[in-house]
Amino acid sequence: MTTLTDPPKESFRLSMLINDTRYRSLTFQAIAAVLLAFAIWYLGNNLIQNLRAAGLNISFNFLGDPSGYDINQRLVEYDSQSSHARAALVGILNTLLVAVLACITATVFGVIAGVLRLSNNWLVSKLMAFYVEIFRNIPVLIWIIIIFTIMTAVLPGPRAFRGDNATASMVFDMFAFTNRGIYIPLPWFENALFGSAGLSWLLVIAGLVGSWFATRRLSAWATAKQEDTGIRPKTIWMTLAIWFVPLIVLMLVMGLTWEYPALKGFNFSGGIKVGGPLIALWFALSIYTGAFIAENVRAGIQAVSKGQTEAASALGLRSNRVMNLVVLPQALRVIIPPLISQYLNITKNTSLAIVVGYADITATLGGITLNQTGRAIECVLLLMLFYLTASLLISMVMNVYNSSVKLKER
């Protein structure tokens, strides 16, 4: 009778770090990490020594000094006596504003163009193919310049709205389209929450977020009801009530009123000014990136098996319902990963705003502030930190969404 025993364990030897595949990858990674750390230390030490030799040092105290320049497009209070940190904040908000707007509109353009490229209508399909090929193969910088030039050349100046023989007029006495920008009514609250307009708008946003969660719960209830009875209850009116009733109540309680733009002197005052540079940058980024998103959408739709479409059609679903309920939900698993890259490209391409005079973070912190203070290293480091943080946050949010829609295998 024999007994089986475990083989004796092999003792560790230094040669195993190279010869044993269990340790070889760890060895190379450790060597690469040490070399990278040494390179960073060497470059940083060299920078500090050169700055010390030139009588300079790295300091961010300049952020508290008065900026000394004005910014036309801004979302928060600012004047020329505000600090450089305040100017950088204005630039950050302007960058995020155009990035968010462009991401939304580029997605809309891309989804519509991607779906229509697969249309059975030959003319529609070719028009969308023409749009994709034209806008995708011309640099976005050129589109920004073209759109801004067309705006300033075609739209009338404020003087065209003046006098009895005015050649231009406001639309519904509420909107003014000029070569300096578009002026729209400004909403504000007479009974603001604790006298703060910011808190009032936060309450409105919170109400919209609550309505969104409520509609999700309503949709889940309708789905469960359909699974039990085979009939899906109609929820359109309940959905509209969830969205609009709380919003209308909030507006009435806080006393929503509107401030309309009016021509005073040589320009319009009052309301909200959407500057020409913002419109040009927003629209150019949208149509340019939308062409890339359209190809992502087309690829995602074509990745769905034709059997899915045929099975849905055999059940009596119309083509639009097949697309909304069967094809697009499955295509999202293919569309979202490259869509993340397109959102990142939009955020980084906002740095081209300086071409048309839009005060983004690159124009303020990396432009005027850098030239006035001479703090090139500090400004560039802050710019890098902002774009890195924004890109990582976009990637994190989109990856979470991607995980929620990916195929769950058992």
Side-chain angles (χ1 to χ4, degrees), residues 88-368:
L89 175 63
V90 173
I92 289 174
L93 294 177
N94 286 345
T95 300
L96 295 177
L97 172 65
V98 71
V100 171
L101 292 176
C103 285
I104 295 173
T105 50
T107 303
V108 174
F109 291 159
V111 172
I112 294 174
V115 173
L116 293 181
R117 278 209 67 181
L118 300 174
S119 173
N120 294 326
N121 188 308
W122 182 88
L123 180 60
V124 171
S125 176
K126 293 304 177 183
L127 284 176
M128 291 301 103
F130 178 78
Y131 157 71
V132 169
E133 296 302 328
I134 289 296
F135 286 95
R136 191 174 61 164
N137 293 297
I138 296 178
V140 64
L141 177 60
I142 296 179
W143 288 118
I144 295 173
I145 297 174
I146 290 174
I147 295 173
F148 183 72
T149 303
I150 292 175
M151 280 194 60
T152 55
V154 174
L155 293 178
R159 70 174 65 181
F161 294 81
R162 185 184 300 112
D164 296 332
N165 299 322
T167 58
S169 60
M170 298 180 63
V171 179
F172 304 119
D173 292 329
M174 295 187 296
F175 305 94
F177 296 86
T178 73
N179 56 6
R180 298 183 183 180
I182 299 175
Y183 296 84
I184 61 177
L186 170 66
W188 60 284
F189 300 107
E190 292 182 342
N191 304 320
L193 188 65
F194 299 110
S196 172
L199 291 177
S200 300
W201 284 112
L202 285 177
L203 180 61
V204 172
I205 294 173
L208 293 175
V209 172
S211 297
W212 182 78
F213 280 107
T215 54
R216 291 289 299 272
R217 293 293 300 272
L218 179 63
S219 178
W221 169 81
T223 302
K225 198 74 172 178
Q226 182 181 12
E227 292 176 352
D228 292 338
T229 63
I231 300 175
R232 186 178 184 86
K234 294 182 178 180
T235 59
I236 179 63
W237 295 112
M238 288 187 287
T239 301
L240 292 176
I242 290 174
W243 277 110
F244 289 102
V245 170
L247 186 62
I248 293 174
V249 170
L250 284 175
M251 297 302 179
L252 292 176
V253 170
M254 293 188 293
L256 177 66
T257 56
W258 298 87
E259 179 185 83
Y260 297 101
L263 183 62
K264 295 181 180 179
F266 296 98
N267 204 351
F268 283 89
S269 63
I272 299 176
K273 177 186 177 182
V274 184
L278 170 60
I279 297 173
L281 183 65
W282 172 16
F283 192 59
L285 290 176
S286 299
I287 59 177
Y288 175 78
T289 312
F292 289 90
I293 296 176
E295 289 298 277
N296 298 335
V297 172
R298 183 171 69 93
I301 293 174
Q302 290 181 329
V304 178
S305 173
K306 285 187 178 181
Q308 298 287 324
T309 305
E310 294 171 353
S313 300
L315 294 174
L317 293 178
R318 291 176 295 179
S319 58
N320 61 335
R321 301 290 289 175
V322 173
M323 180 62 67
N324 294 333
L325 300 178
V326 178
V327 178
L328 283 181
Q330 297 183 76
L332 284 176
R333 303 176 186 122
V334 179
I335 295 172
I336 291 177
L339 184 64
I340 299 174
S341 298
Q342 298 305 327
Y343 286 170
L344 295 177
N345 289 337
I346 286 177
T347 305
K348 290 179 285 189
N349 284 336
T350 56
S351 58
L352 299 173
I354 194 172
V355 176
V356 290
Y358 181 70
D360 71 325
I361 183 63
T362 303
T364 55
L365 181 62
I368 303 176

Side-chain angles (χ1 to χ4, degrees), residues 63-70 77-87 90:
L63 293 174
D65 298 334
S67 60
Y69 59 90
D70 293 323
E77 292 296 327
Y78 172 85
D79 56 42
S80 59
Q81 297 305 311
S82 300
S83 64
H84 286 292
R86 188 73 173 182
V90 173

